[in-house]
Amino acid sequence: MGEWLTRGLRTLRDDLWTIRSAPLPPFVLLRRLPHWHVMLVGIALALAGGAQITDEYHQGADYALLCSAAQGAAVVLALWRPVPAWWLSTTVTVVVALGARSQLMSGQAEPGASWPWGVPGLIAHAMVLLLLSLRLPTRASVAALGLTALVTYVLEGLVGAANYAPTGPAAMIVFAVVVLLGIALRGRREARTRLVEQETITAEERARRTVLEERNRIARELHDVVAHHMSVISIQAQVAPHLVENPSEELKENLAGIRQNAVEALAELRRVLGVLRSENPEDPYGLGAAGTGAAPGTPQPTLDRLDALMENTRAAGLDVVATVEGEAPVYPPGVQLSAYRIVQEALSNALRHAPGSRVRVEVTHHERGLHLEVANSRPREPVPASPGAGHGLLGMRERAVMLGGHVSAYPTLHGGFAVSAFLPRDGVATPRDGSNTSHAWDDSADPGTPDGLELVFPDEPAHVAGPGARPLTEEGKR
């Protein structure tokens, strides 16, 4: 019991015997306006308190001015240092009450004067308690309220006076209400702050999880590419000794070692793939997302399968125009897979977020690499709410960055959306020449299209569609 009491008194001392700052922060909408209002209230209470001391208690003007100014200063001080302000207000109240007691006992004060709390002093102390409970823990606010009740009881119940109107019970009711109000507002503000912090943490975790999911999916897809090359190495190492007349034992041993390493690497790849394997993602538009369909073990798609992708997209309800420019070199499998997935995801986003729109797909082959554009016009139909997790653009970026390329996505001037991607030819980043090139597509001449698309790609290689551009398929022509 003694230890508990000692701990409680120590906590009370730490809470109420301090001059540390606890400023009231600016409000979101009103900013510093409430602070100025509190200052005006403090000035008004100082003037009213001085008038009460001189008119009701019939005390000197200098004494009244000093006490009332201290009471008003306590209200203003509570904006920054509520504990010292509470001590100042309590001290002024005790001094004024004891000074007025002699006037009441001698009959010099007005009969029926309010005591021990005058109305201006009561309001000022209530303001101080409200600001204190808004900034300090609940235990400090309750302790300040309890000590105020103790001071009131000592003045009115033990010391006493004569010919006065008692204000102790009414004052304690007012103080209890303002303290409870301050505690409730402080708790609400803290709960809101914790909620915002939790939402921020949740959003960060969701973004981190999304990145990991996309990287896992990319790793699963690239497994087939790597496994193919390792299988070729193993077969070549096994066949090579039969292509050389009288191969030496060292050559046979080295080739056998190469084949053994390739087989072991394939086994490790299978183990890693087993760790990364997860449930197949949904593909609501039938565009053949990775690992979906009846045959998830089929070869990974390349640029040659873009024709089938366009057909599936048209069947799902989009008007797609697809063109290709330049001669296609031999791209590494990783570049072809990433290019296919970027176009696939862009078309899927157009189906989901721009139903009934017109979509233009451009595939441009450069000496430096492959440039892709997928742009849609303003949707002609209402856009339904999408439950997607936002993996699409993030996945495009991960694929492009992995190969040393880049992706940009942005709304167009006429209510559509565009995705532009560049993948280096060999999957290795190359320095840009810094040239700014604009590319525009305006289909305003087509009466069947409500809005044209004006696209600007300042960071991409020059590619202006001209007479040499050709559609991917005959069905891609308008």
Side-chain angles (χ1 to χ4, degrees):
M1 182 65 180
E3 183 180 354
W4 179 84
L5 181 60
T6 302
R7 187 184 305 111
L9 293 176
R10 187 181 298 112
T11 302
L12 181 62
R13 181 198 63 188
D14 294 339
D15 289 338
L16 296 183
W17 194 254
T18 179
I19 59 172
R20 62 176 176 267
S21 175
L24 188 69
F27 290 75
V28 176
L29 298 178
L30 301 179
R31 306 305 297 169
R32 293 284 181 180
L33 185 60
H35 295 66
W36 291 103
H37 286 170
V38 171
M39 294 180 185
L40 293 177
V41 169
I43 295 174
L45 291 175
L47 296 176
Q52 183 199 28
I53 293 173
T54 56
D55 295 343
E56 290 190 14
Y57 300 150
H58 295 292
Q59 293 180 310
D62 295 338
Y63 172 80
L65 178 61
L66 178 62
C67 292
S68 60
Q71 191 78 59
V75 175
V76 177
L77 180 62
L79 287 171
W80 292 275
R81 299 182 183 273
V83 174
W86 175 78
W87 280 111
L88 177 60
S89 178
T90 303
T91 302
V92 171
T93 299
V94 172
V95 170
V96 172
L98 293 178
R101 178 179 180 276
S102 61
Q103 303 295 96
L104 292 170
M105 297 295 291
S106 63
Q108 299 181 24
E110 291 291 329
S114 56
W115 190 87
W117 292 95
V119 175
L122 188 152
I123 297 175
H125 199 74
M127 288 285 296
V128 171
L129 283 174
L130 176 62
L131 294 173
L132 183 145
S133 59
L134 284 174
R135 303 306 302 152
L136 299 185
T138 302
R139 66 174 184 271
S141 303
V142 173
L145 178 63
L147 291 178
T148 300
L150 179 61
V151 170
T152 303
Y153 170 74
V154 170
L155 288 175
E156 187 174 345
L158 299 182
V159 177
N163 302 319
Y164 70 93
T167 56
M172 291 313 304
I173 292 175
V174 173
F175 297 157
V177 170
V178 298
V179 168
L180 290 177
L181 178 61
I183 292 173
L185 292 176
R186 180 176 179 272
R188 179 173 176 268
R189 184 182 68 251
E190 290 182 348
R192 181 181 299 176
T193 302
R194 287 194 295 268
L195 179 60
V196 172
E197 293 176 353
Q198 187 61 40
E199 289 179 349
T200 302
I201 295 174
T202 302
E204 293 176 353
E205 291 296 330
R206 186 184 299 114
R208 188 178 297 109
R209 185 174 63 251
T210 301
V211 171
L212 293 178
E213 290 174 358
E214 282 300 313
R215 290 178 178 176
N216 287 345
R217 187 161 71 97
I218 294 171
R220 291 197 304 269
E221 293 181 359
L222 291 179
H223 162 269
D224 292 343
V225 177
V226 178
H228 169 74
H229 289 294
M230 296 303 296
S231 299
V232 171
I233 292 173
S234 175
I235 294 173
Q236 289 177 340
Q238 186 177 9
V239 175
H242 303 284
L243 302 179
V244 179
E245 185 177 356
N246 299 323
S248 63
E249 292 299 324
E250 293 182 356
L251 176 61
K252 290 181 179 180
E253 291 179 1
N254 289 333
L255 292 175
I258 292 174
R259 181 178 182 279
Q260 182 63 28
N261 290 334
V263 171
E264 292 178 357
L266 281 172
E268 292 298 328
L269 278 175
R270 293 190 186 97
R271 294 191 188 98
V272 173
L273 185 64
V275 174
L276 297 178
R277 183 72 65 186
S278 63
E279 295 183 1
N280 296 330
E282 296 182 358
D283 184 23
Y285 301 106
L287 299 185
T292 60
T298 56
Q300 295 294 349
T302 61
L303 292 175
D304 296 335
R305 294 182 57 186
L306 284 179
D307 294 342
L309 180 63
M310 301 302 162
E311 287 301 320
N312 290 341
T313 308
R314 294 188 186 97
L318 276 186
D319 182 9
V320 181
V321 177
T323 61
V324 62
E325 183 178 356
E327 294 297 329
V330 179
Y331 292 110
V335 174
Q336 296 198 49
L337 173 61
S338 295
Y340 180 92
R341 292 303 185 200
I342 289 174
V343 174
Q344 177 191 46
E345 189 61 45
L347 291 175
S348 180
N349 287 340
L351 278 168
R352 185 182 299 112
H353 302 293
S357 63
R358 181 189 182 193
V359 181
R360 182 178 182 88
V361 179
E362 286 190 2
V363 180
T364 308
H365 302 283
H366 298 277
E367 294 181 359
R368 290 177 8 191
L370 176 64
H371 182 269
L372 304 169
E373 282 182 19
V374 181
N376 63 269
S377 63
R378 180 185 302 170
R380 300 182 184 179
E381 303 173 8
V383 180
S386 174
H391 292 212
L393 294 177
L394 188 146
M396 296 181 196
R397 175 185 175 276
E398 288 292 326
R399 292 181 185 277
V401 171
M402 175 185 64
L403 298 171
H406 54 89
V407 172
S408 59
Y410 46 88
T412 62
L413 298 178
H414 297 285
F417 200 81
V419 174
S420 175
F422 177 76
L423 304 178
R425 180 171 180 174
D426 297 326
V428 180
T430 55
R432 304 186 189 180
D433 55 9
S435 60
N436 292 337
T437 305
S438 298
H439 172 72
W441 169 43
D442 186 1
D443 60 355
S444 58
D446 184 356
T449 303
D451 295 294
L453 295 179
E454 296 180 2
L455 310 179
V456 178
F457 304 102
D459 296 330
E460 307 302 339
H463 61 286
V464 179
R470 64 181 185 278
L472 285 173
T473 62
E474 291 298 324
E475 291 80 356
K477 298 181 180 179
R478 292 295 296 168

